[in-house]
């Protein structure tokens, strides 16, 4: 089971980016803004949804994502 989880776990850099996207989303949402810029790239709802899915996948693989 551990090997299967490891093979299907998302790369750490994708998890780190997803954490930053979700964090940015929360900050901008509370300020009443929709899309926002992160590292020169526009972040809109489809990207935020990708980030939430990535974090869920990471959680299921046993990766700590408490930074969100």
């Amino acid at each position: 089971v551990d090997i299967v989880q490891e093979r299907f776990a998302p790369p750490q850099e994708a998890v780190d980016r997803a954490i930053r996207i979700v964090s940015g989303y929360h900050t901008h949402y509370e300020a009443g803004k929709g899309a926002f810029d992160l590292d020169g790239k526009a972040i809109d709802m489809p990207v935020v949804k990708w980030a939430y899915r990535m974090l869920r996948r990471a959680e299921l693989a046993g990766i700590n994502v408490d930074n969100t």
Side-chain angles (χ1 to χ4, degrees):
V1 173
D2 290 336
I3 284 187
V4 172
Q5 284 182 335
E6 186 178 311
R7 298 285 293 166
F8 287 100
Q12 187 61 49
E13 75 177 24
V15 174
D16 293 342
R17 179 157 175 77
I19 289 170
R20 292 181 61 221
I21 289 169
V22 170
S23 177
Y25 169 72
H26 286 290
T27 300
H28 288 85
Y29 180 81
E30 290 171 3
K33 298 179 181 176
F36 62 98
D37 180 87
L38 181 68
D39 300 332
K41 296 185 179 181
I43 305 298
D44 57 6
M45 191 50 70
V47 177
V48 172
K49 288 180 180 180
W50 167 86
Y52 274 111
R53 286 192 310 271
M54 181 63 57
L55 294 178
R56 180 64 182 141
R57 219 175 113 199
E59 286 177 334
L60 291 171
I63 299 172
N64 182 3
V65 294
D66 286 337
N67 298 3
T68 59

